[in-house]
Amino acid sequence: MKEIILKPLIFILFVSLSLHSCYKRDDALSPAIEVQDFVWKGLNAYYLYQEDIADLSDTRFSSDLQLESYLSGFGSPVDIFNSLKTLSDSRSLLIDDYTIEDIVSPLRSSFTTGMEFGLFKDPNRLDSIIGFVSHILPLSQASTDSIVRGDFFYAIINEEADTIHLKEDNYRALLLNYPQDTLKLLMANFNGDTLIVNNQRVDLVKKNYQYPPILLKEVFDLGAKKAGYLLYNNDFSTNYIGDLNATMQEFKNESVNELIIDLRYAIGSHSYARTIAELASMITGQFPNEILMKETWNEKAQTWFELNQPDALITKFPTTLQNNETINALNLTDVYIILNGNGFNGSSALELLINSLHPYINVHVLGNTTRGDNLGSISLYDSPDYDIFNANLNHTYSLQPTVVTFSNKENETYETGIIPTIQLCPIEDPLNLGELGGLTDPLLSEVMQYVTTGNTGVTLLCNPFELELVYNSINSQRIIDKGTFIKQDLPNLGR
């Protein structure tokens, strides 16, 4: 966490710069509006778009009584919070119980058979659906059954021992919300035109499953190049940063000089800028303590930081994790990021990584254009310095407003998205999946061709049978991106 230590003289300067509009009260605030008061003052101080909201202006109220009268006009904290956001702001949040929200996220787990799959319309039968196995989770129940990536299925056997064919109006009930303990799949062969029943049945049982930190890792000897391959399907949270660091040491031990990060099955979700900085240092390592990313706050907060604590506005390449473990750095000059999937544009954390590394090394984005989310958020609590310590015990509300935009060392940003170096097929071809993470994997094969030759004119044959995909189990697991967060001690605003 970036430390900001306020001396009395600095605090006087802070007040003189009008970083808050209301003086500190000597009398008690009415309990009926204390949450509304916290919301207004938190957004007035740090909301990125504070200057654009008339009711957040420092000159909007001339006295505390006038502010209290304004606050009393809102029936709930949600009402005032919504009224003080810009219409386009879908990121900022008001949390009604931070004691639940702030619980450390557990390791990813689910109740699953271990089969990830997709569904497409049968080209020859109206309303019929054909399923295909995209991959099997390692050490899951399905990994012990006779079912593999690239297998097809067309029906299930229900509790009454009836054969029920998959259709557009029943596949969710049959494959996702079924009541029985065992999913009994009827298998088939499919050549792109004709479905041929093969009289095989696979019984899959749901069990509690904890996802591995890393789905797959390999090292490929490509002559002069030695590529570390990482198939990553979790979020970039502190839960898995230690596992990523250990994997980088394994790659380092094998003299890897290229890195491929495959995110085709990634679930996204939020992260912290510090965690992304740690990952950036694992990929590089030759730029210790150089500026990696910059933050820009609203005008009055930015002015204060620039005058009093300019180091708080930058994040440098770290050399250790937050637990003081040494970062295992690969010292690379090139990293390749596979970002494909129908409608998948990565996450704000991934964009921050790509943009921050761009001035230092070659970052090759392979697949889709990213979304363009260069915003950062912070958690604010109802305490004198907006920290959770000494928070008001009368309520459990907290704020997660958008407070900064990110840019890199060269002041480049990415609010319009990051354009990929080469295009990849948006979806995998169910009839040509190959071995996941192997050289028969068509998607990885195309990437390897680019890595070894640098040829950006890759010719792809995507979905040659024009199959219409209707469902993908990975898409249903992707978490709404809550953004990239920063952790930073904030100046006391004299509340």
Side-chain angles (χ1 to χ4, degrees):
M1 181 179 289
K2 303 172 188 175
E3 299 294 336
I4 299 178
I5 302 174
L6 293 178
K7 306 295 184 184
L9 181 60
I10 293 177
F11 179 69
I12 293 172
L13 177 60
F14 183 85
V15 174
S16 70
L17 289 171
S18 299
L19 275 165
H20 61 95
S21 62
C22 296
Y23 55 83
K24 191 173 181 179
R25 294 185 57 89
D26 293 326
D27 54 330
L29 184 71
S30 168
I33 59 171
E34 62 182 349
V35 178
Q36 286 90 326
D37 181 74
F38 157 60
V39 170
W40 188 88
K41 289 180 177 176
L43 295 179
N44 167 265
Y46 292 114
Y47 187 41
L48 182 63
Y49 310 110
Q50 183 260 344
E51 299 101 48
D52 300 327
I53 306 297
D55 282 345
L56 287 177
S57 170
D58 292 338
T59 59
R60 172 68 173 82
F61 307 104
S62 59
S63 69
D64 276 331
L65 290 177
Q66 197 175 79
L67 173 60
E68 285 186 20
S69 175
Y70 166 79
L71 298 176
S72 298
F74 295 93
S76 71
V78 174
D79 291 338
I80 186 172
F81 176 74
N82 288 336
S83 75
L84 294 175
K85 294 192 305 174
T86 63
L87 293 176
S88 60
D89 181 10
S90 60
R91 178 56 51 77
S92 298
L93 297 173
L94 175 66
I95 308 300
D96 61 4
D97 190 350
Y98 63 77
T99 63
I100 297 175
E101 178 73 15
D102 289 358
I103 294 175
V104 176
S105 299
L107 295 175
R108 184 184 171 200
S109 63
S110 69
F111 192 57
T112 178
T113 64
M115 178 187 74
E116 301 292 1
F117 63 95
L119 302 171
F120 58 87
K121 293 183 179 181
D122 187 328
N124 291 315
R125 293 186 298 171
L126 185 65
D127 196 35
S128 291
I129 295 293
I130 299 174
F132 69 96
V133 180
S134 65
H135 62 286
I136 299 295
L137 295 172
L139 302 180
S140 67
Q141 192 275 332
S143 68
T144 65
D145 291 308
S146 55
I147 188 168
V148 297
R149 172 175 166 89
D151 283 348
F152 295 94
F153 53 92
Y154 68 98
I156 65 105
I157 296 178
N158 66 10
E159 290 181 294
E160 290 75 32
D162 299 321
T163 297
I164 310 295
H165 288 256
L166 298 176
K167 296 183 178 296
E168 290 186 61
D169 61 358
N170 70 7
Y171 72 83
R172 290 186 177 276
L174 297 180
L175 299 174
L176 306 178
N177 306 315
Y178 53 90
Q180 67 271 23
D181 294 331
T182 303
L183 178 63
K184 301 173 182 178
L185 294 177
L186 295 181
M187 313 303 290
N189 299 324
F190 181 68
N191 61 9
D193 179 62
T194 306
L195 184 76
I196 303 173
V197 175
N198 60 21
N199 297 319
Q200 295 181 13
R201 189 181 102 181
V202 177
D203 293 355
L204 300 176
V205 179
K206 277 189 174 181
K207 292 185 178 180
N208 289 319
Y209 180 77
Q210 184 166 299
Y211 290 81
I214 294 163
L215 188 60
L216 184 63
K217 51 190 172 183
E218 297 284 350
V219 175
F220 294 96
D221 193 338
L222 306 173
K225 296 183 178 182
K226 205 166 189 181
Y229 171 75
L230 184 67
L231 180 57
Y232 192 71
N233 65 331
N234 290 309
D235 56 32
F236 290 116
S237 70
T238 54
N239 282 339
Y240 304 108
I241 197 69
D243 299 286
L244 286 167
N245 197 38
T247 298
M248 297 304 172
Q249 184 61 51
E250 294 176 25
F251 287 161
K252 190 174 182 179
N253 292 341
E254 297 203 42
S255 301
V256 161
N257 53 23
E258 306 273 348
L259 179 64
I260 301 169
I261 303 176
D262 189 345
L263 301 176
R264 73 178 91 173
Y265 301 139
I267 62 168
S269 187
H270 71 285
S271 185
Y272 282 88
R274 165 68 193 202
T275 307
I276 296 304
E278 292 168 354
L279 182 56
S281 286
M282 293 177 200
I283 295 169
T284 57
Q286 61 270 49
F287 313 107
N289 297 314
E290 292 285 328
I291 295 175
L292 177 65
M293 60 185 76
K294 298 180 181 180
E295 299 168 6
T296 302
W297 295 66
N298 67 34
E299 183 177 354
K300 63 180 179 179
Q302 184 76 11
T303 299
W304 188 90
F305 283 127
E306 288 175 350
L307 288 172
N308 299 286
Q309 198 71 44
D311 284 349
L313 298 172
I314 60 175
T315 298
K316 297 181 179 181
F317 283 94
T319 56
T320 62
L321 303 181
Q322 293 178 74
N323 63 3
N324 292 322
E325 179 183 340
T326 299
I327 289 177
N328 299 317
L330 295 178
N331 295 287
L332 302 179
T333 58
D334 290 84
V335 62
Y336 305 82
I337 298 175
I338 299 176
L339 181 63
N340 80 313
N342 195 14
F344 181 54
N345 303 105
S347 64
S348 57
L350 177 64
E351 290 184 300
L352 179 59
L353 174 68
I354 295 169
N355 189 66
S356 299
L357 284 175
H358 182 257
Y360 293 96
I361 66 172
N362 301 313
V363 184
H364 309 264
V365 179
L366 315 175
N368 296 338
T369 300
T370 66
R371 184 169 58 250
D373 184 352
N374 67 330
L375 304 176
S377 302
I378 197 170
S379 293
L380 303 178
Y381 303 87
D382 190 3
S383 69
D385 57 1
Y386 296 101
D387 201 302
I388 192 170
F389 300 105
N390 299 316
N392 186 346
L393 298 179
N394 293 336
H395 67 83
T396 57
Y397 281 92
S398 69
L399 285 168
Q400 290 182 348
T402 298
V403 294
V404 300
T405 58
F406 292 110
S407 59
N408 63 22
K409 173 188 176 181
E410 306 296 337
N411 297 317
E412 298 167 329
T413 188
Y414 47 96
E415 61 184 1
T416 59
I418 298 171
I419 305 298
T421 311
I422 63 171
Q423 298 285 338
L424 295 174
C425 292
I427 61 173
E428 296 179 277
D429 180 2
L431 281 94
N432 184 26
L433 292 176
E435 179 188 357
L436 182 62
L439 294 180
T440 61
D441 178 344
L443 186 146
L444 184 56
S445 177
E446 297 288 354
V447 171
M448 288 298 189
Q449 179 183 343
Y450 172 68
V451 172
T452 55
T453 67
N455 180 16
T456 59
V458 177
T459 302
L460 300 174
L461 184 60
C462 300
N463 195 13
F465 293 95
E466 299 182 349
L467 302 175
E468 185 176 347
L469 194 72
V470 296
Y471 178 81
N472 183 292
S473 63
I474 295 298
N475 287 344
S476 67
Q477 297 174 58
R478 285 187 165 132
I479 302 170
I480 295 175
D481 185 9
K482 291 165 54 176
T484 302
F485 282 73
I486 61 172
K487 289 183 178 180
Q488 184 161 295
D489 292 338
L490 296 172
N492 185 315
L493 300 190
R495 296 185 61 233

